[in-house]
Amino acid sequence: MTTTRWTGPHPEPNPTRPTPSTVARIVGWFAPVLPDRRLAYLRTACYLFVVLDIHTLVRDPIALSHDTTLYRPLLLAEMFRLPAPSAPLVWTLYVVLVVGSLIAAANRLPRAAGFVVAAAFTWWTAIGFSYGKVDHDHTAFVIALWTLPTAGVIAGRWRASTASAQSGWVLKCIQIAVIATYFLSATTKIRNGGGPGHQWEFATWANSFILVWAIVRRPHGLGQFLLPYPELLRGMQWFAFLAELTSVVVLWLRGRALLVAAVFWMGFHAFTVTILYIHFAPTLVCWLAFAPLERCSPWLRRVRGRRQQRVGGRASDPTSG
Amino acid sequence: MKQPSIGRITRWSLTWRLAVALAGIALLLTGSLRGSDQAWPFAPMSQYAFAPPPDDTIIITRVEGELADGQRIELALRTGVSGISRAEVEAHTDDIIADPALLQGVVAGWTARHPDHPQLRQVWLVQETTTLVGGRRDVTEFVPRASWVVPE
C-alpha cells in the first residue's frame, strides 16, 4: 500500500504549493487537516456526555424492559435481529456504556472502547425509541460516536502537537451531522406539508399553529405568556424554518462568522428551552466539533501556571500566614 | 504558534472516508425524505414537523386510576413515576382502546414505584381535549377512552 503525504488544505496555505485539483479540493473539504488535540478533547466531552445521557435523557430502557407489551422494534433491530429488551440485556448495556465511556473519555483504547460504546449506545437508544417515540436530537450524537474511534490512537492525547486528515474527517462528519439535523428538519416540514394529500408544501408548516399546539401540550415558562399571541408565534415559526433551511451555509463559515452562527444556534436552543423546555443537548455537544478546542491546552497550562505561581508566592512570602 | 506536524494518510484511507461520508449523507437524505421513524438513526426529523390548523383539537393523554381505598389518582406518564412516558402511551392509543389490557404495563410500572400505596383496582385512559378557535385556546374537556379492571 502506498503511503502518501497529505497534500490537501493546510492550516497555513503555502503560496508555493500548486493549486489542488477539484477532486483533491473535495477530498480536502471532507477530510481537512485539523489538530488531533481537538479530537482528543471532543472525545472526552462526547464520552462523558454518554454517561450523562443514559442517566438523564434516554434513561428509560431499564424501566421499559420490565414490560415489553408496547415494544415495537425499529428497522435497525430487525435488520440485526436484536432480541427484545430484557433486564439482563439492558443492565449489560448499561455497565458496558459506563465502563467503555470512561475508558474512551480518557482517550485510552480509542478504537476498541469507542466502537463498543458506539454499538452499545445505538442499541440502548434504539430500545428507548422502540416504544412509540423517536427523538431526533440524538442523530448527530450517534454519528459522532461511530466516527470518533476511526482516528485511532492520538499520541500525547490532549497535549498532542500533531494534525491529521483522520481527525479532520471525524470533525467534518460531526459538523455535517449537526447541520443536517437543522436542514433536514426544514425539509421534513416541507415534506409533511399539511398532512396526507397536502405533502411537499413549502409554507404550510410555517403558517400553521404548531407552536400554539406545542405550548398547550408542554405549558412551560415563557411559552404560556406567548400563547395568547398566535400571530407572533407564527412569525417565530417562519424565522426558525428559514434559519433551518439556510443552516447549510454554516459548513462553509470560518472565524468570526462561524462564531456568530454558533452563538445564534445556541440562542435558538436557549429560546426553545424557555418556551417549550426542549433542549437538544446531544446536538449541542456535537457543536463542539466546530470549536477550536485545541486552545484548551494552552489555556489550562496558563491557569495551572498562575495557580502554582500564587501557591509558590504565598509559600515564599514571609509576611503570609 | 508552532506549526503542528501533519500525520500521514494513505489513499485507501482517504477513499473509504470519502465513501463513508457520501454514503452517510445519502442515508440521511433518503431516510429523511422517504423514510419513517422506523428508520432511526436515519429517520426523518419529524418532531413538531406537522401543521395543525387554526381549529385543531389538541389531545393530551392521561392515565387515571382508582385505588383499593376508593381514591382516584392520576398515574403521571413519566418514566420515573409510571415506568413509561406520555408520548409512548400516546403512540399506542388506538391499540389500548382496542385492547385496554395493554394498560397493564402502566399499572405494573406505577405499582413497582409506589409499593406503599393501596393497590390499583381500575385504570382509565383519559384524553384531555382542547379545541382551538382561530388559533386561540378555547374549551378543554376530559374524555375517557378506555378502562381496564386490574385482575386481583
Side-chain angles (χ1 to χ4, degrees), chain A residues 133 136 163 191-192 205 217 228, chain B residues 7 47-48 59 87 90 136:
Chain A
K133 184 168 182 270
H136 63 247
R191 174 194 168 183
N192 289 354
W205 181 87
R217 295 216 355 132
Chain B
Q47 284 180 282
Y48 299 98
I59 294 169
E90 286 183 331
R136 288 169 200 275

Side-chain angles (χ1 to χ4, degrees), chain A residues 152-208:
Chain A
V153 174
I154 295 175
R157 299 185 285 170
W158 309 284
R159 293 180 179 183
S161 58
T162 49
S164 69
Q166 286 91 332
S167 290
W169 179 77
V170 175
L171 293 161
K172 183 65 84 176
C173 286
I174 301 172
Q175 292 173 0
I176 292 170
V178 169
I179 297 308
T181 304
Y182 302 115
F183 178 70
L184 295 177
S185 295
T187 57
T188 304
K189 284 159 188 155
I190 296 171
R191 174 194 168 183
N192 289 354
H198 298 276
Q199 288 179 311
W200 297 105
E201 292 178 351
F202 183 79
T204 308
W205 181 87
N207 282 330
S208 75

